[in-house]
Amino acid sequence: VSGFAPRWLALREPYDHRARSRALALALAARLPRDRPAALVDLACGTGSSLRYLAPLLGGEQRWRLYDIDPALLAAAGSALEGWESGAPVRRAPGGASGPGWSARWEARDLRGQLLALTEGADAVVTSALLDLVSAPWLEELADACAARRLPLLAALTVDGRLRWTPRDRADEAVAAAFRAHQRTDRGWGPSPGPAAAAACAALLEARGFAVRLERTDWRIPAGHTEMLLEMIEGVAGAAAEVSPRPGAVQRWRRRRLARAAAGVLSLEVGHADLLAWPL
Ligand SMILES: C[S@@+](CC[C@H](N)C(=O)[O-])C[C@H]1O[C@@H](n2cnc3c(N)ncnc32)[C@H](O)[C@@H]1O
């Protein structure tokens, strides 16, 4: 349904978890209730990566509700959680799972137009790798729902358009510019703020009386991490070629980059930001 393969989400997860802001996760933890289980809602959960990152950091008792439009990803969440090296066994149930200090239920839902209903009874909203996909009106819907329910929001790993390849190539900047332009196109939610999404979300929340912290949480993909580098080269080249006035030059860039990656001499940093917002 969504076009995000479980294999891609599994491949990126270690890079996501290394990049994410532990400080913002702990700052969220400080805002959760401690006299009862905390209710957390994960929007566009994929296979549950945010739960795997956050559950050990948040502490206390946690009740998670995971929503995603793609039933195949939710089906994969069960085995991803079972395979999670959390140091303690994970128990599976139909449509859910539990481990020490946490339990989770998941449900296939389209997030558009129903955030107020989906956040009922929540203590916090989390999401990851989502804001750069969505539209400006949906960011408003998110900010409105958080404001109406006075909920903290942790939105991790929003792409901000920076791509830093080492060593440099003469076409890196032109390809990155086309990649950023592609990010502003409609990828299922309407035209997207793309690389400006985290800043746009911060502004919407500040306008609703929230305090906001943003931190850079860039992926670092070292030389020799060939599988991830090849995915990134193909992904960036594919997106850039769709919008570039010079698709042939993008293809030539792609071939040069694939050769460098295969030779084990290419590394990459991908700009991301984590955002934590809470009502004042
Ligand atoms: C880049 S993935 C991120 C998944 C997960 N949060 C993670 O960090 O691994 C984006 C997710 O958005 C979900 N998605 C896309 N459109 C959606 C919609 N309209 N409603 C709910 N989820 C949607 C996709 O199925 C996918 O799981």
Side-chain angles (χ1 to χ4, degrees), residues 22 26 41-42 63 68 89 94 96 122 126-129 136 167 169 188 200 210 214 217 226:
R22 190 181 160 85
L26 295 175
V41 171
D42 184 358
R63 303 279 177 270
D68 199 282
V126 305
T127 188
S128 57
D169 179 278
F210 280 56
L214 280 166
T217 51
T226 311

PDB file of all heavy atoms in Angstrom, residues 22 26 41-42 63 68 89 94 96 122 126-129 136 167 169 188 200 210 214 217 226:
ATOM      1  N   ARG A  22      19.173  10.948  21.714  1.00  0.00           N
ATOM      2  CA  ARG A  22      18.890  10.350  23.023  1.00  0.00           C
ATOM      3  C   ARG A  22      18.411  11.442  24.000  1.00  0.00           C
ATOM      4  O   ARG A  22      17.525  11.217  24.815  1.00  0.00           O
ATOM      5  CB  ARG A  22      20.212   9.724  23.500  1.00  0.00           C
ATOM      6  CG  ARG A  22      20.122   8.873  24.691  1.00  0.00           C
ATOM      7  CD  ARG A  22      21.535   8.357  25.032  1.00  0.00           C
ATOM      8  NE  ARG A  22      21.562   7.939  26.409  1.00  0.00           N
ATOM      9  CZ  ARG A  22      21.194   6.733  26.829  1.00  0.00           C
ATOM     10  NH1 ARG A  22      20.824   5.828  25.964  1.00  0.00           N
ATOM     11  NH2 ARG A  22      21.202   6.441  28.113  1.00  0.00           N
ATOM     12  N   LEU A  26      15.006  11.358  26.171  1.00  0.00           N
ATOM     13  CA  LEU A  26      14.977  11.439  27.634  1.00  0.00           C
ATOM     14  C   LEU A  26      14.142  12.630  28.090  1.00  0.00           C
ATOM     15  O   LEU A  26      13.461  12.572  29.120  1.00  0.00           O
ATOM     16  CB  LEU A  26      16.401  11.517  28.188  1.00  0.00           C
ATOM     17  CG  LEU A  26      17.246  10.250  27.945  1.00  0.00           C
ATOM     18  CD1 LEU A  26      18.679  10.453  28.418  1.00  0.00           C
ATOM     19  CD2 LEU A  26      16.633   9.028  28.620  1.00  0.00           C
ATOM     20  N   VAL A  41       1.363   6.969  21.277  1.00  0.00           N
ATOM     21  CA  VAL A  41       0.826   6.712  19.938  1.00  0.00           C
ATOM     22  C   VAL A  41       1.939   6.922  18.936  1.00  0.00           C
ATOM     23  O   VAL A  41       2.566   7.987  18.911  1.00  0.00           O
ATOM     24  CB  VAL A  41      -0.355   7.662  19.639  1.00  0.00           C
ATOM     25  CG1 VAL A  41      -0.766   7.561  18.181  1.00  0.00           C
ATOM     26  CG2 VAL A  41      -1.538   7.330  20.537  1.00  0.00           C
ATOM     27  N   ASP A  42       2.227   5.893  18.128  1.00  0.00           N
ATOM     28  CA  ASP A  42       3.253   6.007  17.075  1.00  0.00           C
ATOM     29  C   ASP A  42       2.544   6.105  15.729  1.00  0.00           C
ATOM     30  O   ASP A  42       1.871   5.160  15.299  1.00  0.00           O
ATOM     31  CB  ASP A  42       4.180   4.782  17.123  1.00  0.00           C
ATOM     32  CG  ASP A  42       5.335   4.877  16.115  1.00  0.00           C
ATOM     33  OD1 ASP A  42       5.392   5.872  15.355  1.00  0.00           O
ATOM     34  OD2 ASP A  42       6.157   3.953  16.081  1.00  0.00           O
ATOM     35  N   ARG A  63       2.204   1.787  27.311  1.00  0.00           N
ATOM     36  CA  ARG A  63       1.165   1.158  26.483  1.00  0.00           C
ATOM     37  C   ARG A  63       1.210   1.841  25.116  1.00  0.00           C
ATOM     38  O   ARG A  63       0.868   3.020  25.007  1.00  0.00           O
ATOM     39  CB  ARG A  63      -0.223   1.345  27.097  1.00  0.00           C
ATOM     40  CG  ARG A  63      -0.364   0.808  28.501  1.00  0.00           C
ATOM     41  CD  ARG A  63      -0.602  -0.691  28.507  1.00  0.00           C
ATOM     42  NE  ARG A  63      -0.674  -1.187  29.866  1.00  0.00           N
ATOM     43  CZ  ARG A  63       0.389  -1.623  30.578  1.00  0.00           C
ATOM     44  NH1 ARG A  63       1.602  -1.620  30.054  1.00  0.00           N
ATOM     45  NH2 ARG A  63       0.236  -2.072  31.803  1.00  0.00           N
ATOM     46  N   ASP A  68      -0.289   2.402  11.116  1.00  0.00           N
ATOM     47  CA  ASP A  68       0.337   2.543   9.806  1.00  0.00           C
ATOM     48  C   ASP A  68      -0.706   2.149   8.772  1.00  0.00           C
ATOM     49  O   ASP A  68      -1.577   1.321   9.040  1.00  0.00           O
ATOM     50  CB  ASP A  68       1.579   1.643   9.677  1.00  0.00           C
ATOM     51  CG  ASP A  68       2.494   2.090   8.551  1.00  0.00           C
ATOM     52  OD1 ASP A  68       2.176   1.809   7.359  1.00  0.00           O
ATOM     53  OD2 ASP A  68       3.519   2.749   8.835  1.00  0.00           O
ATOM     54  N   PRO A  89      12.625 -11.523  26.645  1.00  0.00           N
ATOM     55  CA  PRO A  89      11.731 -12.110  25.644  1.00  0.00           C
ATOM     56  C   PRO A  89      10.541 -11.205  25.315  1.00  0.00           C
ATOM     57  O   PRO A  89      10.047 -10.480  26.178  1.00  0.00           O
ATOM     58  CB  PRO A  89      11.251 -13.406  26.311  1.00  0.00           C
ATOM     59  CG  PRO A  89      11.564 -13.263  27.748  1.00  0.00           C
ATOM     60  CD  PRO A  89      12.667 -12.266  27.895  1.00  0.00           C
ATOM     61  N   PRO A  94      -2.231 -11.744  18.824  1.00  0.00           N
ATOM     62  CA  PRO A  94      -2.790 -11.244  17.567  1.00  0.00           C
ATOM     63  C   PRO A  94      -2.872  -9.718  17.610  1.00  0.00           C
ATOM     64  O   PRO A  94      -3.452  -9.160  18.554  1.00  0.00           O
ATOM     65  CB  PRO A  94      -4.190 -11.874  17.509  1.00  0.00           C
ATOM     66  CG  PRO A  94      -4.160 -13.005  18.488  1.00  0.00           C
ATOM     67  CD  PRO A  94      -3.130 -12.666  19.536  1.00  0.00           C
ATOM     68  N   GLY A  96      -0.588  -7.562  18.248  1.00  0.00           N
ATOM     69  CA  GLY A  96       0.151  -6.884  19.299  1.00  0.00           C
ATOM     70  C   GLY A  96       1.315  -7.709  19.804  1.00  0.00           C
ATOM     71  O   GLY A  96       1.598  -8.796  19.304  1.00  0.00           O
ATOM     72  N   ALA A 122      -4.141   9.575  24.662  1.00  0.00           N
ATOM     73  CA  ALA A 122      -2.675   9.458  24.604  1.00  0.00           C
ATOM     74  C   ALA A 122      -2.014  10.408  25.603  1.00  0.00           C
ATOM     75  O   ALA A 122      -2.590  11.430  25.999  1.00  0.00           O
ATOM     76  CB  ALA A 122      -2.189   9.787  23.199  1.00  0.00           C
ATOM     77  N   VAL A 126       4.434  10.012  19.017  1.00  0.00           N
ATOM     78  CA  VAL A 126       5.763   9.890  18.417  1.00  0.00           C
ATOM     79  C   VAL A 126       5.596   9.508  16.952  1.00  0.00           C
ATOM     80  O   VAL A 126       4.586   8.923  16.556  1.00  0.00           O
ATOM     81  CB  VAL A 126       6.662   8.856  19.147  1.00  0.00           C
ATOM     82  CG1 VAL A 126       6.775   9.169  20.626  1.00  0.00           C
ATOM     83  CG2 VAL A 126       6.168   7.447  18.932  1.00  0.00           C
ATOM     84  N   THR A 127       6.604   9.855  16.179  1.00  0.00           N
ATOM     85  CA  THR A 127       6.643   9.444  14.783  1.00  0.00           C
ATOM     86  C   THR A 127       8.094   9.503  14.341  1.00  0.00           C
ATOM     87  O   THR A 127       8.912  10.180  14.975  1.00  0.00           O
ATOM     88  CB  THR A 127       5.729  10.324  13.908  1.00  0.00           C
ATOM     89  OG1 THR A 127       5.660   9.772  12.595  1.00  0.00           O
ATOM     90  CG2 THR A 127       6.230  11.759  13.815  1.00  0.00           C
ATOM     91  N   SER A 128       8.430   8.768  13.304  1.00  0.00           N
ATOM     92  CA  SER A 128       9.807   8.849  12.787  1.00  0.00           C
ATOM     93  C   SER A 128       9.790   8.661  11.285  1.00  0.00           C
ATOM     94  O   SER A 128       8.983   7.891  10.740  1.00  0.00           O
ATOM     95  CB  SER A 128      10.704   7.790  13.449  1.00  0.00           C
ATOM     96  OG  SER A 128      10.198   6.504  13.252  1.00  0.00           O
ATOM     97  N   ALA A 129      10.679   9.391  10.626  1.00  0.00           N
ATOM     98  CA  ALA A 129      10.850   9.305   9.176  1.00  0.00           C
ATOM     99  C   ALA A 129       9.524   9.526   8.456  1.00  0.00           C
ATOM    100  O   ALA A 129       9.204   8.830   7.500  1.00  0.00           O
ATOM    101  CB  ALA A 129      11.453   7.945   8.790  1.00  0.00           C
ATOM    102  N   ALA A 136       1.684  20.081   3.799  1.00  0.00           N
ATOM    103  CA  ALA A 136       1.540  21.184   4.760  1.00  0.00           C
ATOM    104  C   ALA A 136       0.201  21.087   5.513  1.00  0.00           C
ATOM    105  O   ALA A 136       0.175  21.255   6.733  1.00  0.00           O
ATOM    106  CB  ALA A 136       1.688  22.521   4.042  1.00  0.00           C
ATOM    107  N   PRO A 167      34.534  10.689  -1.129  1.00  0.00           N
ATOM    108  CA  PRO A 167      34.999  11.959  -1.681  1.00  0.00           C
ATOM    109  C   PRO A 167      33.931  12.623  -2.547  1.00  0.00           C
ATOM    110  O   PRO A 167      32.972  11.994  -2.960  1.00  0.00           O
ATOM    111  CB  PRO A 167      36.204  11.532  -2.526  1.00  0.00           C
ATOM    112  CG  PRO A 167      35.920  10.113  -2.909  1.00  0.00           C
ATOM    113  CD  PRO A 167      35.174   9.512  -1.759  1.00  0.00           C
ATOM    114  N   ASP A 169      32.090  14.554  -5.715  1.00  0.00           N
ATOM    115  CA  ASP A 169      31.968  14.366  -7.158  1.00  0.00           C
ATOM    116  C   ASP A 169      31.462  15.681  -7.735  1.00  0.00           C
ATOM    117  O   ASP A 169      30.684  16.385  -7.067  1.00  0.00           O
ATOM    118  CB  ASP A 169      30.977  13.230  -7.448  1.00  0.00           C
ATOM    119  CG  ASP A 169      30.778  12.984  -8.935  1.00  0.00           C
ATOM    120  OD1 ASP A 169      29.977  13.711  -9.575  1.00  0.00           O
ATOM    121  OD2 ASP A 169      31.433  12.061  -9.465  1.00  0.00           O
ATOM    122  N   GLY A 188       2.035  11.190  -2.137  1.00  0.00           N
ATOM    123  CA  GLY A 188       0.871  10.499  -1.604  1.00  0.00           C
ATOM    124  C   GLY A 188       0.032  11.335  -0.651  1.00  0.00           C
ATOM    125  O   GLY A 188      -1.077  10.940  -0.294  1.00  0.00           O
ATOM    126  N   ALA A 200       8.926  23.659   9.449  1.00  0.00           N
ATOM    127  CA  ALA A 200       7.517  24.043   9.290  1.00  0.00           C
ATOM    128  C   ALA A 200       6.693  23.513  10.462  1.00  0.00           C
ATOM    129  O   ALA A 200       5.841  24.220  11.009  1.00  0.00           O
ATOM    130  CB  ALA A 200       6.978  23.501   7.965  1.00  0.00           C
ATOM    131  N   PHE A 210       3.533  25.910  21.910  1.00  0.00           N
ATOM    132  CA  PHE A 210       4.421  24.829  22.325  1.00  0.00           C
ATOM    133  C   PHE A 210       5.864  25.320  22.399  1.00  0.00           C
ATOM    134  O   PHE A 210       6.276  26.202  21.644  1.00  0.00           O
ATOM    135  CB  PHE A 210       4.379  23.666  21.308  1.00  0.00           C
ATOM    136  CG  PHE A 210       3.197  22.746  21.458  1.00  0.00           C
ATOM    137  CD1 PHE A 210       1.911  23.236  21.413  1.00  0.00           C
ATOM    138  CD2 PHE A 210       3.383  21.377  21.632  1.00  0.00           C
ATOM    139  CE1 PHE A 210       0.817  22.387  21.546  1.00  0.00           C
ATOM    140  CE2 PHE A 210       2.301  20.528  21.767  1.00  0.00           C
ATOM    141  CZ  PHE A 210       1.016  21.025  21.718  1.00  0.00           C
ATOM    142  N   LEU A 214      14.878  21.324  18.459  1.00  0.00           N
ATOM    143  CA  LEU A 214      15.274  20.609  17.240  1.00  0.00           C
ATOM    144  C   LEU A 214      16.734  20.210  17.375  1.00  0.00           C
ATOM    145  O   LEU A 214      17.549  20.999  17.847  1.00  0.00           O
ATOM    146  CB  LEU A 214      15.148  21.528  16.023  1.00  0.00           C
ATOM    147  CG  LEU A 214      13.755  21.735  15.426  1.00  0.00           C
ATOM    148  CD1 LEU A 214      13.769  22.911  14.473  1.00  0.00           C
ATOM    149  CD2 LEU A 214      13.266  20.484  14.716  1.00  0.00           C
ATOM    150  N   THR A 217      20.236  15.100  13.532  1.00  0.00           N
ATOM    151  CA  THR A 217      20.404  13.663  13.785  1.00  0.00           C
ATOM    152  C   THR A 217      20.772  12.980  12.460  1.00  0.00           C
ATOM    153  O   THR A 217      20.012  12.177  11.922  1.00  0.00           O
ATOM    154  CB  THR A 217      19.109  13.076  14.380  1.00  0.00           C
ATOM    155  OG1 THR A 217      17.996  13.463  13.559  1.00  0.00           O
ATOM    156  CG2 THR A 217      18.862  13.586  15.793  1.00  0.00           C
ATOM    157  N   THR A 226      28.325  -1.218   2.172  1.00  0.00           N
ATOM    158  CA  THR A 226      27.984  -1.165   0.745  1.00  0.00           C
ATOM    159  C   THR A 226      26.491  -1.288   0.486  1.00  0.00           C
ATOM    160  O   THR A 226      25.938  -0.580  -0.367  1.00  0.00           O
ATOM    161  CB  THR A 226      28.756  -2.282   0.008  1.00  0.00           C
ATOM    162  OG1 THR A 226      30.127  -2.192   0.423  1.00  0.00           O
ATOM    163  CG2 THR A 226      28.687  -2.114  -1.485  1.00  0.00           C
TER     164      THR A 226
END
